[in-house]
Amino acid sequence: MNKTNDWSKLDELLLATPPVLFLGAGFSRGAINKANSEDGHGLKKIILDDFFRDDPDYEELEKMNLRDLCEEAYIAGKKSELIELLTESFNNTTVRDKNDYHLKLVEYPWAVIYSVNIDDLVEYIYRFEKRKLVVWHGNGKQPQNNGVTELIKLHGCVNYPEEGYIFSRSDYTDLTSSKLDAKLNEFTSDLLSKNVIFVGASLDEPDIEYYLSVYEKAGYTRTNQIFFIDPKPSRSLRSRVKRLDATLIEASAEEFINHVSSLKFNPNELEKARIKLEYYGVHRLSDVEKIFESPYDSKIYEGSYCKWQDVSEGWLYDDENYQNAKEELEKLLSDKTNNNHCYSVYGRVFSGKSCLIKKLAYDLSKKGFEILEYRGKRFNYYSVVNYIKLSSSKNLALLIDNASYYYEQIERLLHEQLPGKQLLILTASREYYHKRKRYYLEGNSFIDCRQMDKFSRSDACNIRDTLDKKVRLSYMTTMDKSQQVAEICRLGSVSNLIVGLTYGGVIKGAKIKYVKTFENLNTYEKKLLIELAILDEMEFEYYPMELFVERYGSIIDFYNNCRLTRLVDFIRFDEFGLSLNNTIIGKEILDKAKNKEQIILELLKTIANRVYEEDRSIWYILFQCLLKVEILEKRLRIRKDSIKNMFLELKSEYGKISYFWLQFGLFEQSQGAYVTALGYLEKSASIRPKAFKIQHALARNYMCYANSLGNFEKADVLFKTGESKMKALIESTNSIERKARPYSISSYVSEKVKFIDKFKQYQAPSGNDLKYMGRILEYVEPDDYTKSAFHKFYRLLTILGKTNVVRMTPQSPYFKFIGEKVDDTIEEDEIDVFD
């Protein structure tokens, strides 16, 4: 424990990047309101006199703490009266006079303030001093923040009494054990990743005890600091501070506020923008360089995450991917008709995508570009735009890894007006989601390239030279230079190279005998490895540290040196999260894993209290990945009945989330249960009625159902309904719907061709139908997911003898089909690929 009245350690932190401020009841002491109760004891007296004055058990009630007394009021049926009393007692809280110390709160640029006080003292202070404040008080998602101080009220707010307060014992229990609101989850996340100062907070508050237990469970994975400001710390607090390796300063809230005010920390607008940028997880390379290690020993060839220092100190080799990317990037930036550009690298895991965009960015930094990197839990659009506009740099590059989930926001950035600025967005993504979401980026100043993960001979020579220079040749050290190059060529890929360097050349062909050492791991460690392998297979980059702390915490030790096999030998981790350190081990783990569906179900239930409709957080993204039916079936080979049971078990947790019902509907549809699927899709649409994906799925449901029937009259009615809905999407002028139009066109043409072929004996296709399909396909660029529609349409035209409907030139997508033998039947369409 750092028990001190020396403020220097705290001052160093306060004068760098503002920490998170947590206010307890002690902060409101001395403020003016109707109750003027000063503390919980005074409030308890008011409740006793109002509700229990004539109660025969008055003396027993008098001995209760405030939580239990409020619980008794609830039991007595006086909850609404208690809420009214609390509202009257704490509403319109003010300060004693204009010299009151509370008013100095605004003299420091706090980014975020959490409070367990229901009074409106902080709101009054900011209003009195004419400072802007965003207040998050409700149970829903976080309000939009345009760069001002944010107040997050964890126990309710007197200005919104209808939302309830946290006062009784049952209130506290619900807060920490159920999906009550997102604010608690936000603070838990901040407590594990940001520096936090507790002022006037008592360990008597059960949820504060909960927060600190979460922090304690994080153990050695913590990289932040926490401080407690308390004038008369209890024995319990002193003990807790020692266990947490926190810092305790024996001072009152007044002394703390006065001291912070005396620092005169008054950053300009640019510095405020930087502070907000960093709070939301966007870091400047120039700041990262200031904390480079010296001396530095890289772990990148052991499978660790790529760091900026790896790039700076030449740990990365040059390969053909890098050379090609440099040429393409130069061409992209030479386009002077656009100021905002996006260069996207996609490919398999461990193909070097993240390293490549860092190398490209580092090159640009040498040419005067200011480099920003996003590594947050929720992308805050405003903070990025505000900083770019205020920055003195004319050229900026923003790096986003695992970026496909943010393509919609990236498109907004590409359209943002940034006078006098050139913005380059460098992204890296897994192939599966990149191809399904890149329609957001198409049509802009945008280039994407696939990261090839097969070494050429010239690559192998460069790799060999880099490994030799950095003394990382491992088992190849005894070989001569030509043998080393040949061995690297044999390994062939980044993933195999890492396994070879780490495990002495034992790679996939040898069935990874090293995996046998898993038997030396305990049950929890094995389960964590399975979870990491599942997330890797489901295209999610890392296992969030908060999730690890909640599920395992201190029961897992990465560095267990008491045995030969250690968990750290299989994983890589930093302050953000964990992942496997190579893909081959992941596949071996999944091949041997049992009850994968049960583990996925557990994960989904664990994160349920962090997932909210239309939230752009990392938790919503993880939820989407874990519930992706196509990957559950095809990659993880989970049985259909198990997938259905998963959906049924999750209805209570995710019943208010549109994506849950969308995926459930698509799953039922894939099983031929079209009516059931329609019900789930309609439920999804009731939550997000204007969502394009949902409207697309509804339209396709009608058409697919029609094509499953044998009765033409019934099928015709259903198909026309779906056709009308799909045409409305295809012909929409909405910008997002126009972006995704190729997928709707592809689905429409595929289903229309199938319908015509199936019911040709009842109704011949009209010339207008054929011309319409030909016309809309002109809007589509054939790719892996849309070329099937061209093929099906051309085959139909050939069968009907109507190929003159489309233009046939060497550039035509139909040209390669000329002369192809055509069957009289149209093949079954693949599952809808639109995501």
Side-chain angles (χ1 to χ4, degrees):
M1 172 180 68
N2 300 306
K3 176 185 174 184
T4 180
N5 287 326
D6 181 1
W7 298 81
S8 58
K9 184 177 180 181
L10 181 58
D11 289 351
E12 183 180 349
L13 185 151
L14 288 164
L15 293 171
T17 298
V20 169
L21 179 63
F22 186 103
L23 299 178
F27 174 75
S28 293
R29 188 164 296 152
I32 304 297
N33 52 42
K34 185 176 180 179
N36 285 333
S37 56
E38 291 288 323
D39 55 27
H41 295 292
L43 177 60
K44 193 173 80 169
K45 183 71 167 60
I46 293 174
I47 294 172
L48 280 167
D49 289 346
D50 273 45
F51 298 139
F52 300 106
R53 181 179 302 164
D54 300 322
D55 195 291
D57 298 319
Y58 185 91
E59 290 185 4
E60 182 179 346
L61 291 166
E62 195 175 24
K63 295 176 183 178
M64 290 183 177
N65 60 36
L66 182 60
R67 290 186 304 281
D68 289 334
L69 185 61
C70 289
E71 192 68 32
E72 289 296 323
Y74 285 10
I75 293 171
K78 300 180 182 297
K79 182 173 182 177
S80 59
E81 290 92 335
L82 178 60
I83 290 176
E84 184 177 344
L85 172 65
L86 293 172
T87 303
E88 290 178 358
S89 298
F90 294 107
N91 196 21
N92 297 318
T93 300
T94 62
V95 297
R96 296 186 185 280
D97 55 54
K98 64 180 182 179
N99 296 315
D100 193 292
Y101 80 89
H102 291 96
L103 296 174
K104 295 180 182 179
L105 178 68
V106 302
E107 294 180 12
Y108 185 84
W110 304 105
V112 175
I113 301 172
Y114 288 90
S115 176
V116 292
N117 303 325
I118 68 169
D119 63 44
D120 52 358
L121 175 60
V122 176
E123 294 94 314
Y124 169 80
I125 293 168
Y126 275 78
R127 188 168 60 250
F128 183 87
E129 295 291 345
K130 296 181 172 55
R131 304 292 182 91
K132 293 181 180 179
L133 182 74
V134 171
V135 182
W136 184 8
H137 53 81
N139 296 338
K141 65 178 183 178
Q142 196 167 13
Q144 183 175 349
N145 186 339
N146 293 332
V148 301
T149 300
E150 182 173 20
L151 172 64
I152 302 177
K153 309 197 74 169
L154 297 171
H155 286 182
C157 177
V158 290
N159 295 321
Y160 303 90
E162 67 277 7
E163 295 172 354
Y165 303 134
I166 306 299
F167 264 92
S168 74
R169 183 167 296 280
S170 59
D171 290 334
Y172 281 100
T173 301
D174 289 343
L175 181 67
T176 57
S177 63
S178 65
K179 184 173 180 174
L180 189 61
D181 64 40
K183 303 189 296 294
L184 180 147
N185 297 317
E186 189 72 12
F187 180 65
T188 303
S189 179
D190 278 354
L191 185 59
L192 293 176
S193 59
K194 297 178 174 62
N195 300 313
V196 181
I197 303 174
F198 290 86
V199 177
S202 169
L203 291 186
D204 190 47
E205 298 275 5
D207 57 331
I208 294 179
E209 172 66 25
Y210 168 79
Y211 303 137
L212 297 182
S213 67
V214 170
Y215 183 79
E216 187 171 4
K217 284 170 64 179
Y220 55 85
T221 64
R222 303 188 303 251
T223 58
N224 59 325
Q225 303 177 67
I226 61 173
F227 295 78
F228 291 88
I229 310 298
D230 194 302
K232 297 178 180 179
S234 64
R235 181 182 180 86
S236 175
L237 176 58
R238 293 196 303 272
S239 174
R240 198 59 180 271
V241 167
K242 184 176 181 179
R243 294 209 312 270
L244 298 176
D245 194 28
T247 298
L248 172 63
I249 297 178
E250 295 187 7
S252 66
E254 181 174 0
E255 289 171 323
F256 169 76
I257 295 296
N258 284 333
H259 178 80
V260 173
S261 171
S262 71
L263 296 176
K264 305 297 183 185
F265 184 56
N266 186 28
N268 58 30
E269 290 304 309
L270 175 59
E271 185 63 14
K272 288 179 182 178
R274 181 200 65 79
I275 290 168
K276 203 67 177 178
L277 191 74
E278 189 167 298
Y279 177 80
Y280 284 110
V282 181
H283 306 283
R284 303 185 304 182
L285 173 58
S286 58
D287 293 327
V288 176
E289 287 177 317
K290 295 174 184 176
I291 56 173
F292 275 0
E293 299 173 22
S294 181
Y296 178 64
D297 191 35
S298 175
K299 302 294 183 184
I300 192 165
Y301 293 107
E302 297 174 21
S304 291
Y305 298 110
C306 180
K307 298 181 178 180
W308 284 110
Q309 199 162 354
D310 295 324
V311 184
S312 173
E313 298 190 9
W315 285 89
L316 306 184
Y317 53 81
D318 292 349
D319 62 1
E320 292 182 2
N321 286 309
Y322 172 62
Q323 298 300 334
N324 293 336
K326 281 206 305 183
E327 293 175 8
E328 289 182 326
L329 186 55
E330 187 175 341
K331 186 187 305 182
L332 181 68
L333 293 175
S334 67
D335 175 14
K336 301 305 180 185
T337 61
N338 292 287
N339 291 328
N340 301 343
H341 315 274
C342 180
Y343 187 80
S344 296
V345 180
Y346 68 94
R348 294 168 55 185
V349 64
F350 278 99
S351 59
K353 306 181 299 297
S354 302
C355 294
L356 176 57
I357 62 172
K358 273 188 165 66
K359 278 174 67 70
L360 294 172
Y362 204 78
D363 289 345
L364 292 171
S365 73
K366 301 304 181 186
K367 297 178 181 180
F369 272 74
E370 181 175 3
I371 309 301
L372 311 174
E373 182 184 24
Y374 171 68
R375 294 206 66 192
K377 297 290 171 63
R378 179 182 288 105
F379 188 84
N380 186 278
Y381 182 86
Y382 177 83
S383 65
V384 173
V385 171
N386 188 46
Y387 179 81
I388 291 172
K389 288 180 176 179
L390 291 171
S391 173
S392 60
S393 302
K394 301 299 182 186
N395 301 300
L396 299 97
L398 171 65
L399 276 72
I400 304 179
D401 208 347
N402 198 25
S404 55
Y405 309 110
Y406 304 104
Y407 282 174
E408 185 176 357
Q409 292 100 308
I410 291 172
E411 188 200 21
R412 284 182 63 198
L413 280 173
L414 292 174
H415 288 276
E416 185 70 44
Q417 295 298 311
L418 302 169
K421 308 285 185 178
Q422 177 177 227
L423 173 64
L424 170 66
I425 304 170
L426 290 166
T427 73
S429 301
R430 300 275 188 99
E431 187 165 2
Y432 179 87
Y433 282 111
H434 171 76
K435 288 188 172 181
R436 281 158 173 77
K437 296 176 182 288
R438 68 178 170 194
Y439 62 86
Y440 283 112
L441 306 179
E442 291 169 340
N444 297 289
S445 180
F446 161 70
I447 294 177
D448 64 345
C449 72
R450 188 179 189 279
Q451 176 86 346
M452 305 307 294
D453 55 357
K454 185 71 176 175
F455 297 149
S456 67
R457 182 167 182 79
S458 64
D459 291 342
C461 291
N462 289 334
I463 293 168
R464 182 263 160 208
D465 291 345
T466 301
L467 294 177
D468 183 42
K469 180 181 177 181
K470 296 297 185 182
V471 196
R472 285 296 187 274
L473 281 166
S474 184
Y475 70 96
M476 290 183 272
T477 304
T478 57
M479 303 176 185
D480 63 35
K481 185 173 180 178
S482 62
Q483 289 174 325
Q484 291 166 350
V485 171
E487 175 65 4
I488 293 170
C489 285
R490 185 186 73 82
L491 292 170
S493 68
V494 174
S495 184
N496 285 346
L497 177 66
I498 290 171
V499 175
L501 294 174
T502 308
Y503 304 140
V506 182
I507 59 171
K508 190 175 180 179
K511 299 297 183 184
I512 313 186
K513 296 176 183 178
Y514 198 83
V515 175
K516 291 182 179 179
T517 59
F518 290 167
E519 300 307 316
N520 297 325
L521 300 175
N522 65 40
T523 301
Y524 295 112
E525 292 168 335
K526 290 176 184 176
K527 189 173 184 180
L528 175 61
L529 286 177
I530 294 172
E531 292 176 10
L532 294 177
I534 287 172
L535 262 62
D536 188 53
E537 194 64 35
M538 302 201 82
E539 307 279 345
F540 196 79
E541 288 291 332
Y542 66 91
Y543 190 103
M545 188 58 71
E546 298 95 321
L547 182 60
F548 169 75
V549 170
E550 182 170 350
R551 286 180 65 76
Y552 299 103
S554 57
I555 64 175
I556 283 184
D557 180 1
F558 295 157
Y559 297 99
N560 189 334
N561 293 313
C562 298
R563 61 185 188 216
L564 180 63
T565 304
R566 304 176 306 163
L567 191 61
V568 74
D569 297 325
F570 303 99
I571 66 170
R572 53 181 179 170
F573 71 94
D574 59 16
E575 65 269 30
F576 299 100
L578 312 79
S579 64
L580 295 173
N581 60 16
N582 72 77
T583 56
I584 298 174
I585 282 181
K587 294 185 184 301
E588 290 287 324
I589 291 171
L590 288 178
D591 285 344
K592 292 176 171 54
K594 298 178 181 179
N595 299 324
K596 292 191 288 283
E597 60 272 24
Q598 185 59 38
I599 290 174
I600 294 170
L601 185 65
E602 286 180 20
L603 287 170
L604 283 164
K605 287 191 173 186
T606 301
I607 68 171
N609 64 345
R610 293 182 169 93
V611 177
Y612 290 84
E613 179 65 26
E614 291 191 77
D615 188 21
R616 300 186 187 279
S617 72
I618 198 73
W619 303 107
Y620 190 83
I621 295 169
L622 177 56
F623 154 70
Q624 287 183 307
C625 289
L626 288 172
L627 212 60
K628 185 67 179 172
V629 171
E630 182 182 7
I631 296 180
L632 290 172
E633 284 191 80
K634 294 183 178 180
R635 296 194 188 179
L636 295 176
R637 299 191 295 277
I638 295 178
R639 298 197 326 266
K640 292 178 173 58
D641 60 332
S642 295
I643 294 175
K644 181 165 184 175
N645 287 335
M646 282 174 53
F647 276 108
L648 292 173
E649 283 201 47
L650 292 167
K651 285 168 70 174
S652 60
E653 282 87 357
Y654 292 104
K656 296 181 180 180
I657 308 296
S658 62
Y659 186 84
F660 172 81
W661 296 108
L662 173 63
Q663 285 298 307
F664 201 178
L666 292 176
F667 170 75
E668 290 288 7
Q669 183 168 295
S670 71
Q671 306 308 300
Y674 296 101
V675 176
T676 302
L678 178 62
Y680 294 152
L681 295 175
E682 291 285 9
K683 174 66 174 177
S684 181
S686 71
I687 299 170
R688 289 190 66 190
K690 295 182 180 180
F692 174 77
K693 293 178 184 180
I694 301 169
Q695 293 304 319
H696 172 95
L698 277 168
R700 191 168 183 272
N701 172 269
Y702 280 97
M703 294 190 291
C704 290
Y705 187 21
N707 279 325
S708 74
L709 299 174
N711 181 288
F712 172 71
E713 287 75 19
K714 184 177 180 180
D716 189 46
V717 173
L718 287 168
F719 193 89
K720 285 178 178 176
T721 302
E723 183 176 36
S724 175
K725 291 177 179 291
M726 194 68 84
K727 282 185 174 181
L729 295 175
I730 291 170
E731 295 160 11
S732 171
T733 58
N734 177 279
S735 59
I736 295 299
E737 292 174 4
R738 290 183 72 82
K739 283 277 185 184
R741 181 165 61 175
Y743 295 94
S744 293
I745 290 173
S746 179
S747 291
Y748 171 75
V749 171
S750 295
E751 294 303 327
K752 183 72 172 180
V753 167
K754 190 185 295 184
F755 187 80
I756 290 171
D757 180 65
K758 183 168 187 175
F759 295 107
K760 55 182 176 287
Q761 69 271 33
Y762 297 101
Q763 179 177 296
S766 69
N768 287 337
D769 282 343
L770 298 177
K771 289 178 182 178
Y772 179 76
M773 285 190 282
R775 178 172 64 82
I776 61 176
L777 280 170
E778 291 179 0
Y779 298 124
V780 179
E781 187 71 28
D783 60 23
D784 292 345
Y785 301 113
T786 59
K787 63 184 179 183
S788 175
F790 287 93
H791 195 196
K792 290 177 173 64
F793 182 54
Y794 182 75
R795 292 181 67 187
L796 174 67
L797 294 177
T798 304
I799 293 169
L800 298 174
K802 300 281 189 178
T803 54
N804 61 333
V805 168
V806 296
R807 290 179 295 176
M808 197 61 67
T809 66
Q811 293 75 36
S812 168
Y814 307 101
F815 191 75
K816 64 180 179 180
F817 302 138
I818 295 176
E820 184 180 67
K821 184 178 179 181
V822 179
D823 296 328
D824 288 336
T825 57
I826 306 297
E827 75 272 23
E828 289 296 311
D829 188 25
E830 298 177 356
I831 189 170
D832 188 15
V833 297
F834 177 70
D835 182 70

